[in-house]
Amino acid sequence: MMKKHYRTGGSIREQAQPVKSQKQPQTADKLIASLYEPLSPEISKYISQQAKAGVRRSEIAKNIGISKARVVHELDRINRGNQGGVA
């Protein structure tokens, strides 16, 4: 679709409009449900190693292909396990 821009002096300039993305955002229900799907031990170990190395959580998520919320959830789960039952 072309949008018309009217300028002084009677000339009309047309400008192409950006195409809207067809990708649907992930719904909250799917996001929360994905937090409880178990990750493989290799991925869990990778997340832990990268976090200890100082890599940002968003970068870890991009490298693996999961949401940042999932990375944060996994790090919290790992940290709870390392506390040894301290309440």
Side-chain angles (χ1 to χ4, degrees), residues 62-77:
K62 278 184 195 176
N63 293 339
I64 299 173
I66 60 176
S67 70
K68 180 182 168 189
R70 184 64 173 112
V71 171
V72 171
H73 182 78
E74 187 65 18
L75 288 171
D76 287 343
R77 188 189 65 76

Side-chain angles (χ1 to χ4, degrees), residues 17-29:
Q17 296 297 305
V19 178
K20 293 183 179 179
S21 173
Q22 298 296 328
K23 185 178 176 183
Q24 296 293 327
Q26 190 174 19
T27 63
D29 292 337

Side-chain angles (χ1 to χ4, degrees), residues 11-44:
S11 63
I12 300 173
R13 187 179 80 198
E14 293 185 352
Q15 183 179 23
Q17 296 297 305
V19 178
K20 293 183 179 179
S21 173
Q22 298 296 328
K23 185 178 176 183
Q24 296 293 327
Q26 190 174 19
T27 63
D29 292 337
K30 289 182 182 179
L31 179 62
I32 292 172
S34 72
L35 295 178
Y36 297 102
E37 294 175 11
L39 293 177
S40 69
E42 295 85 21
I43 291 177
S44 183

Side-chain angles (χ1 to χ4, degrees), residues 46-60:
Y46 175 80
I47 290 171
S48 178
Q49 290 172 345
Q50 293 294 304
K52 287 178 184 175
V55 179
R56 293 183 316 200
R57 293 172 180 158
S58 58
E59 288 297 318
I60 296 170

